[in-house]
Amino acid sequence: MQIIQNRRRFLAGAAAAGAAGFIGTATQAKAEPPPETTSVRLPRYVGGAYCWAGVYIAGEMLRAEGFIDVRYVQGDTSVDHSVWIANNEMDFSVNYVPIHVASIDAGVPIRVLGGLHSGCLELIANDSVAGITDLRGKRVGVFTLDSPQYVLVSLMAAYVGLDPVNDIEWVIEEHNFAEGFVEGKFDAFLGQPPRTQELRARKIGHTILNSTTDPPWSQHFCCMISATADYVNKYPVATKHILRAIFKGADLCASDPPLVAQQMVDRGFVPSYEYALQTLNDIRYDRWRDYDGEASLRFYALRMHETGMIKSTPQAILTEGTDWRFVDELKRELKT
Protein backbone atom coordinates (compact mmCIF):
# COMPACT_ATOMS: atom_id res chain seq x y z
CA MET A 1 0.00 0.00 0.00
CA GLN A 2 2.83 2.42 0.87
CA ILE A 3 4.48 1.88 -2.52
CA ILE A 4 1.19 2.56 -4.31
CA GLN A 5 0.66 5.73 -2.28
CA ASN A 6 4.23 6.89 -3.01
CA ARG A 7 3.76 6.28 -6.70
CA ARG A 8 0.45 8.16 -6.70
CA ARG A 9 2.10 11.02 -4.82
CA PHE A 10 4.96 11.02 -7.31
CA LEU A 11 2.62 11.13 -10.29
CA ALA A 12 0.67 13.94 -8.68
CA GLY A 13 3.88 15.84 -7.98
CA ALA A 14 5.16 15.24 -11.49
CA ALA A 15 1.91 16.49 -12.92
CA ALA A 16 2.06 19.61 -10.78
CA ALA A 17 5.70 20.27 -11.64
CA GLY A 18 5.01 19.94 -15.34
CA ALA A 19 1.67 21.70 -15.37
CA ALA A 20 3.01 25.01 -16.61
CA GLY A 21 4.96 23.24 -19.32
CA PHE A 22 1.96 21.17 -20.38
CA ILE A 23 -0.30 24.24 -20.48
CA GLY A 24 2.24 26.35 -22.32
CA THR A 25 2.98 23.70 -24.91
CA ALA A 26 -0.37 22.03 -25.38
CA THR A 27 -0.72 23.26 -28.94
CA GLN A 28 2.85 22.38 -29.80
CA ALA A 29 2.57 18.91 -28.22
CA LYS A 30 -0.54 18.17 -30.29
CA ALA A 31 1.26 19.30 -33.41
CA GLU A 32 4.26 17.11 -32.70
CA PRO A 33 4.31 13.71 -34.39
CA PRO A 34 4.59 10.72 -32.07
CA PRO A 35 8.10 9.42 -31.31
CA GLU A 36 9.55 7.26 -34.08
CA THR A 37 10.36 4.60 -31.46
CA THR A 38 8.80 3.80 -28.10
CA SER A 39 11.98 2.28 -26.65
CA VAL A 40 14.91 3.91 -24.88
CA ARG A 41 17.80 2.67 -22.73
CA LEU A 42 18.90 5.02 -19.95
CA PRO A 43 21.84 4.68 -17.54
CA ARG A 44 21.66 3.54 -13.94
CA TYR A 45 24.32 2.88 -11.34
CA VAL A 46 23.05 0.68 -8.54
CA GLY A 47 23.88 2.09 -5.12
CA GLY A 48 25.33 5.34 -6.43
CA ALA A 49 25.03 8.23 -8.90
CA TYR A 50 22.74 10.22 -6.62
CA CYS A 51 23.19 13.20 -8.93
CA TRP A 52 21.46 11.36 -11.80
CA ALA A 53 18.10 12.02 -10.13
CA GLY A 54 16.70 13.96 -13.09
CA VAL A 55 17.22 10.97 -15.38
CA TYR A 56 15.99 8.44 -12.81
CA ILE A 57 12.75 10.36 -12.26
CA ALA A 58 12.16 10.80 -16.01
CA GLY A 59 10.96 7.20 -16.40
CA GLU A 60 7.34 7.84 -15.45
CA MET A 61 7.29 11.02 -17.52
CA LEU A 62 8.61 9.13 -20.53
CA ARG A 63 5.63 6.83 -20.37
CA ALA A 64 3.44 9.93 -20.50
CA GLU A 65 5.43 10.98 -23.58
CA GLY A 66 4.45 7.74 -25.35
CA PHE A 67 7.34 5.43 -24.48
CA ILE A 68 6.45 1.83 -23.68
CA ASP A 69 9.86 0.22 -23.24
CA VAL A 70 11.91 2.37 -20.84
CA ARG A 71 14.93 0.44 -19.59
CA TYR A 72 17.53 1.52 -17.07
CA VAL A 73 20.76 -0.30 -17.92
CA GLN A 74 23.95 -0.63 -15.91
CA GLY A 75 27.14 -1.51 -17.74
CA ASP A 76 30.49 -2.76 -16.50
CA THR A 77 31.21 -0.89 -13.26
CA SER A 78 34.96 -1.42 -13.62
CA VAL A 79 35.04 1.23 -16.35
CA ASP A 80 33.65 4.75 -16.61
CA HIS A 81 30.11 4.83 -17.95
CA SER A 82 31.33 6.72 -21.03
CA VAL A 83 32.33 3.24 -22.19
CA TRP A 84 28.75 2.04 -21.81
CA ILE A 85 27.40 4.42 -24.42
CA ALA A 86 30.49 3.94 -26.61
CA ASN A 87 29.74 0.20 -26.64
CA ASN A 88 26.12 0.87 -27.59
CA GLU A 89 24.88 -0.59 -24.31
CA MET A 90 22.53 2.37 -23.86
CA ASP A 91 21.04 5.18 -25.91
CA PHE A 92 21.50 8.11 -23.51
CA SER A 93 24.17 8.91 -20.96
CA VAL A 94 24.97 11.41 -18.23
CA ASN A 95 28.57 12.34 -17.53
CA TYR A 96 30.98 15.09 -16.53
CA VAL A 97 31.61 17.60 -19.29
CA PRO A 98 35.34 16.74 -19.71
CA ILE A 99 34.46 13.07 -20.21
CA HIS A 100 32.05 13.95 -23.01
CA VAL A 101 34.80 16.09 -24.54
CA ALA A 102 37.31 13.23 -24.34
CA SER A 103 34.82 10.86 -25.96
CA ILE A 104 34.19 13.23 -28.86
CA ASP A 105 37.93 13.76 -29.29
CA ALA A 106 38.39 9.96 -29.43
CA GLY A 107 35.82 9.68 -32.21
CA VAL A 108 32.99 8.16 -30.17
CA PRO A 109 29.77 8.89 -32.11
CA ILE A 110 27.77 10.78 -29.46
CA ARG A 111 25.89 14.05 -29.42
CA VAL A 112 25.85 16.21 -26.31
CA LEU A 113 22.31 17.57 -26.07
CA GLY A 114 22.12 19.75 -22.96
CA GLY A 115 23.11 20.23 -19.35
CA LEU A 116 21.51 18.46 -16.39
CA HIS A 117 22.86 20.32 -13.36
CA SER A 118 25.77 22.31 -12.01
CA GLY A 119 27.99 21.03 -9.27
CA CYS A 120 28.15 17.71 -7.45
CA LEU A 121 31.90 17.40 -6.82
CA GLU A 122 34.08 18.19 -3.82
CA LEU A 123 37.84 18.03 -3.61
CA ILE A 124 38.41 16.59 -0.14
CA ALA A 125 41.81 16.90 1.60
CA ASN A 126 43.53 16.23 4.91
CA ASP A 127 45.01 18.89 7.17
CA SER A 128 48.22 19.13 5.13
CA VAL A 129 46.32 20.68 2.21
CA ALA A 130 44.63 24.07 2.58
CA GLY A 131 44.02 24.78 -1.10
CA ILE A 132 44.62 23.43 -4.59
CA THR A 133 48.07 25.01 -4.84
CA ASP A 134 49.05 22.93 -1.79
CA LEU A 135 48.63 19.77 -3.86
CA ARG A 136 52.19 20.24 -5.11
CA GLY A 137 54.12 17.20 -3.87
CA LYS A 138 51.00 15.63 -2.39
CA ARG A 139 49.24 12.33 -3.11
CA VAL A 140 45.88 12.36 -4.88
CA GLY A 141 43.73 9.25 -5.16
CA VAL A 142 42.23 8.26 -8.53
CA PHE A 143 40.74 5.12 -10.05
CA THR A 144 43.09 5.16 -13.03
CA LEU A 145 45.24 7.70 -14.86
CA ASP A 146 42.47 8.26 -17.39
CA SER A 147 39.54 8.27 -14.97
CA PRO A 148 37.19 11.25 -14.55
CA GLN A 149 38.81 11.99 -11.18
CA TYR A 150 42.26 12.25 -12.75
CA VAL A 151 41.01 14.43 -15.60
CA LEU A 152 39.07 16.82 -13.38
CA VAL A 153 41.70 17.23 -10.66
CA SER A 154 44.36 17.72 -13.34
CA LEU A 155 42.32 20.52 -14.90
CA MET A 156 41.74 22.12 -11.49
CA ALA A 157 45.45 21.91 -10.70
CA ALA A 158 46.52 23.28 -14.09
CA TYR A 159 44.07 26.16 -13.71
CA VAL A 160 46.03 27.44 -10.68
CA GLY A 161 49.43 26.90 -12.32
CA LEU A 162 50.44 23.40 -11.22
CA ASP A 163 51.87 20.78 -13.54
CA PRO A 164 49.54 17.81 -12.99
CA VAL A 165 52.07 15.31 -14.31
CA ASN A 166 55.10 16.37 -12.31
CA ASP A 167 53.72 18.25 -9.31
CA ILE A 168 51.24 15.64 -8.06
CA GLU A 169 51.75 12.04 -6.98
CA TRP A 170 48.80 10.04 -8.30
CA VAL A 171 47.76 7.04 -6.22
CA ILE A 172 45.61 4.34 -7.83
CA GLU A 173 42.67 3.40 -5.61
CA GLU A 174 40.38 0.85 -7.23
CA HIS A 175 37.88 0.59 -4.41
CA ASN A 176 36.20 3.02 -2.01
CA PHE A 177 37.89 6.43 -2.22
CA ALA A 178 36.52 7.47 1.13
CA GLU A 179 38.07 4.52 2.96
CA GLY A 180 41.37 4.89 1.12
CA PHE A 181 41.45 8.51 2.26
CA VAL A 182 40.58 7.53 5.85
CA GLU A 183 43.39 4.95 5.79
CA GLY A 184 45.89 7.66 4.79
CA LYS A 185 46.71 6.26 1.36
CA PHE A 186 46.51 9.74 -0.14
CA ASP A 187 46.15 13.37 0.90
CA ALA A 188 43.23 14.36 -1.31
CA PHE A 189 40.62 12.97 -3.68
CA LEU A 190 37.72 14.21 -5.76
CA GLY A 191 34.45 12.86 -4.40
CA GLN A 192 30.74 12.98 -5.06
CA PRO A 193 27.63 11.98 -3.13
CA PRO A 194 27.34 9.84 -1.10
CA ARG A 195 31.09 9.52 -0.34
CA THR A 196 31.53 13.19 0.49
CA GLN A 197 28.49 13.10 2.74
CA GLU A 198 29.73 10.01 4.56
CA LEU A 199 33.05 11.69 5.35
CA ARG A 200 31.38 14.89 6.47
CA ALA A 201 29.18 12.92 8.86
CA ARG A 202 32.30 11.31 10.30
CA LYS A 203 34.05 14.72 10.47
CA ILE A 204 36.97 13.45 8.37
CA GLY A 205 38.81 15.77 5.97
CA HIS A 206 37.70 19.14 4.65
CA THR A 207 36.60 20.55 1.30
CA ILE A 208 39.13 22.67 -0.60
CA LEU A 209 36.96 23.02 -3.74
CA ASN A 210 33.23 22.62 -4.21
CA SER A 211 32.07 22.66 -7.82
CA THR A 212 28.61 23.80 -6.70
CA THR A 213 29.85 27.06 -5.21
CA ASP A 214 33.44 27.75 -6.33
CA PRO A 215 34.05 29.55 -9.65
CA PRO A 216 34.86 29.03 -12.41
CA TRP A 217 33.67 25.41 -12.01
CA SER A 218 30.35 26.44 -10.46
CA GLN A 219 29.66 28.69 -13.45
CA HIS A 220 29.43 25.74 -15.84
CA PHE A 221 27.50 22.53 -16.09
CA CYS A 222 28.95 19.67 -14.08
CA CYS A 223 27.01 16.86 -15.78
CA MET A 224 25.52 16.96 -19.26
CA ILE A 225 23.25 14.65 -21.25
CA SER A 226 24.40 12.87 -24.39
CA ALA A 227 22.92 10.32 -26.76
CA THR A 228 24.34 8.11 -29.46
CA ALA A 229 24.53 9.89 -32.80
CA ASP A 230 22.65 6.96 -34.33
CA TYR A 231 19.67 7.41 -31.98
CA VAL A 232 19.54 11.19 -32.52
CA ASN A 233 19.76 10.84 -36.30
CA LYS A 234 17.17 8.05 -36.56
CA TYR A 235 14.75 9.32 -33.93
CA PRO A 236 14.87 13.12 -33.63
CA VAL A 237 11.27 13.39 -32.39
CA ALA A 238 11.87 10.68 -29.77
CA THR A 239 15.07 12.43 -28.74
CA LYS A 240 13.17 15.63 -28.03
CA HIS A 241 10.51 13.74 -26.07
CA ILE A 242 13.21 12.08 -23.94
CA LEU A 243 15.04 15.30 -23.29
CA ARG A 244 11.74 16.98 -22.34
CA ALA A 245 11.05 14.23 -19.79
CA ILE A 246 14.53 14.56 -18.31
CA PHE A 247 14.22 18.33 -17.98
CA LYS A 248 10.81 17.95 -16.33
CA GLY A 249 12.51 15.49 -14.00
CA ALA A 250 15.16 18.11 -13.24
CA ASP A 251 12.41 20.65 -12.52
CA LEU A 252 10.82 18.22 -10.07
CA CYS A 253 14.19 17.68 -8.40
CA ALA A 254 14.38 21.43 -7.82
CA SER A 255 10.76 21.93 -6.73
CA ASP A 256 10.16 18.86 -4.53
CA PRO A 257 13.40 17.25 -3.28
CA PRO A 258 11.71 15.10 -0.59
CA LEU A 259 9.36 13.54 -3.15
CA VAL A 260 12.17 12.76 -5.59
CA ALA A 261 14.46 11.41 -2.87
CA GLN A 262 11.78 9.00 -1.70
CA GLN A 263 11.09 7.85 -5.25
CA MET A 264 14.77 7.21 -5.90
CA VAL A 265 14.85 4.92 -2.87
CA ASP A 266 11.48 3.27 -3.52
CA ARG A 267 12.44 2.47 -7.10
CA GLY A 268 15.79 1.01 -6.10
CA PHE A 269 18.10 3.57 -7.67
CA VAL A 270 19.85 4.56 -4.42
CA PRO A 271 19.81 3.11 -0.88
CA SER A 272 19.75 6.21 1.33
CA TYR A 273 16.87 8.68 1.54
CA GLU A 274 18.92 11.05 3.73
CA TYR A 275 21.84 11.24 1.32
CA ALA A 276 19.49 11.52 -1.67
CA LEU A 277 17.66 14.42 -0.04
CA GLN A 278 20.89 16.18 0.87
CA THR A 279 22.17 15.78 -2.69
CA LEU A 280 18.97 17.18 -4.15
CA ASN A 281 19.08 20.15 -1.79
CA ASP A 282 22.74 20.87 -2.61
CA ILE A 283 22.78 20.50 -6.39
CA ARG A 284 21.33 23.13 -8.73
CA TYR A 285 18.91 21.26 -10.98
CA ASP A 286 17.36 24.52 -12.12
CA ARG A 287 20.43 25.45 -14.14
CA TRP A 288 19.46 23.61 -17.33
CA ARG A 289 17.52 26.70 -18.46
CA ASP A 290 20.06 29.30 -17.34
CA TYR A 291 23.47 27.92 -18.21
CA ASP A 292 24.90 27.77 -21.73
CA GLY A 293 25.84 24.22 -22.69
CA GLU A 294 28.06 25.39 -25.53
CA ALA A 295 29.97 27.69 -23.17
CA SER A 296 30.52 24.82 -20.72
CA LEU A 297 31.84 22.48 -23.40
CA ARG A 298 34.06 25.20 -24.82
CA PHE A 299 35.45 26.03 -21.35
CA TYR A 300 36.48 22.44 -20.63
CA ALA A 301 37.63 21.70 -24.18
CA LEU A 302 39.94 24.71 -24.06
CA ARG A 303 41.42 23.61 -20.72
CA MET A 304 41.91 20.07 -22.04
CA HIS A 305 43.44 21.28 -25.30
CA GLU A 306 45.88 23.52 -23.42
CA THR A 307 47.00 20.65 -21.18
CA GLY A 308 47.37 18.24 -24.10
CA MET A 309 44.53 15.95 -23.01
CA ILE A 310 42.81 16.26 -26.39
CA LYS A 311 44.03 16.94 -29.90
CA SER A 312 40.85 18.49 -31.25
CA THR A 313 40.24 22.22 -31.01
CA PRO A 314 37.31 23.38 -28.90
CA GLN A 315 35.44 24.40 -32.04
CA ALA A 316 35.97 20.95 -33.57
CA ILE A 317 34.56 19.36 -30.41
CA LEU A 318 31.47 21.55 -30.64
CA THR A 319 31.02 20.94 -34.36
CA GLU A 320 31.49 17.17 -34.20
CA GLY A 321 29.76 16.26 -30.97
CA THR A 322 26.88 18.56 -30.09
CA ASP A 323 23.27 19.17 -31.10
CA TRP A 324 21.58 22.09 -29.32
CA ARG A 325 18.36 22.29 -31.35
CA PHE A 326 16.33 20.26 -28.84
CA VAL A 327 17.37 22.15 -25.72
CA ASP A 328 16.87 25.47 -27.51
CA GLU A 329 13.29 24.47 -28.38
CA LEU A 330 12.58 23.11 -24.91
CA LYS A 331 13.86 26.25 -23.18
CA ARG A 332 11.22 28.17 -25.12
CA GLU A 333 8.47 25.60 -24.55
CA LEU A 334 9.04 24.81 -20.86
CA LYS A 335 9.16 28.35 -19.57
CA THR A 336 8.53 28.79 -15.85
Side-chain angles (χ1 to χ4, degrees), residues 139-160:
R139 301 163 300 162
V140 175
V142 293
F143 279 120
T144 63
L145 292 181
D146 61 355
S147 65
Q149 293 77 19
Y150 173 81
V151 172
L152 285 157
V153 177
S154 293
L155 293 177
M156 293 170 180
Y159 194 80
V160 297

Side-chain angles (χ1 to χ4, degrees), residues 267-320:
R267 296 167 65 189
F269 288 116
V270 299
S272 171
Y273 171 81
E274 290 75 16
Y275 287 153
L277 182 59
Q278 184 177 339
T279 300
L280 289 161
N281 284 327
D282 289 344
I283 292 178
R284 296 299 303 269
Y285 283 97
D286 56 346
R287 294 300 197 197
W288 75 265
R289 286 183 176 85
D290 303 328
Y291 278 15
D292 185 335
E294 181 171 326
S296 292
L297 244 75
R298 189 182 298 277
F299 171 81
Y300 279 104
L302 180 59
R303 307 281 87 75
M304 295 173 76
H305 188 67
E306 289 174 343
T307 56
M309 290 185 180
I310 61 172
K311 295 181 179 178
S312 305
T313 65
Q315 188 56 50
I317 293 294
L318 290 167
T319 300
E320 294 297 323

Side-chain angles (χ1 to χ4, degrees), residues 167-304:
D167 288 343
I168 295 175
E169 180 184 346
W170 302 98
V171 179
I172 304 299
E173 174 57 64
E174 298 178 350
H175 302 292
N176 189 323
F177 271 145
E179 291 309 310
F181 179 71
V182 171
E183 293 168 6
K185 294 181 180 179
F186 35 85
D187 303 298
F189 77 100
L190 189 68
Q192 64 185 50
R195 302 305 177 212
T196 51
Q197 298 160 335
E198 292 168 351
L199 287 180
R200 191 174 297 113
R202 296 164 65 183
K203 301 187 186 312
I204 297 174
H206 64 282
T207 300
I208 62 172
L209 186 146
N210 187 325
S211 67
T212 306
T213 57
D214 296 335
W217 321 101
S218 62
Q219 297 168 329
H220 295 282
F221 283 116
C222 173
C223 292
M224 297 188 74
I225 306 158
S226 67
T228 65
D230 185 60
Y231 196 98
V232 174
N233 292 337
K234 283 184 178 179
Y235 312 126
V237 178
T239 298
K240 182 179 176 181
H241 279 270
I242 294 162
L243 206 58
R244 179 190 290 125
I246 293 173
F247 288 151
K248 286 182 178 178
D251 285 344
L252 193 58
C253 289
S255 65
D256 198 342
L259 170 65
V260 174
Q262 189 62 58
Q263 282 297 314
M264 289 171 68
V265 174
D266 291 345
R267 296 167 65 189
F269 288 116
V270 299
S272 171
Y273 171 81
E274 290 75 16
Y275 287 153
L277 182 59
Q278 184 177 339
T279 300
L280 289 161
N281 284 327
D282 289 344
I283 292 178
R284 296 299 303 269
Y285 283 97
D286 56 346
R287 294 300 197 197
W288 75 265
R289 286 183 176 85
D290 303 328
Y291 278 15
D292 185 335
E294 181 171 326
S296 292
L297 244 75
R298 189 182 298 277
F299 171 81
Y300 279 104
L302 180 59
R303 307 281 87 75
M304 295 173 76

Side-chain angles (χ1 to χ4, degrees), residues 5-69:
Q5 290 174 341
N6 284 338
R7 187 170 186 273
R8 285 174 178 167
R9 181 168 173 258
F10 167 73
L11 292 173
F22 280 125
I23 293 170
T25 62
T27 303
Q28 292 164 311
K30 289 180 181 178
E32 276 185 357
E36 306 91 340
T37 178
T38 57
S39 298
V40 63
R41 298 169 299 169
L42 300 171
R44 71 175 294 160
Y45 198 104
V46 175
Y50 283 70
C51 66
W52 291 3
V55 174
Y56 289 160
I57 294 304
E60 295 290 346
M61 298 179 188
L62 280 169
R63 291 177 177 87
E65 293 274 353
F67 287 82
I68 298 171
D69 180 19

Side-chain angles (χ1 to χ4, degrees), residues 61-83:
M61 298 179 188
L62 280 169
R63 291 177 177 87
E65 293 274 353
F67 287 82
I68 298 171
D69 180 19
V70 179
R71 282 174 283 166
Y72 284 92
V73 181
Q74 176 168 297
D76 181 0
T77 57
S78 68
V79 298
D80 181 70
H81 44 273
S82 60
V83 178

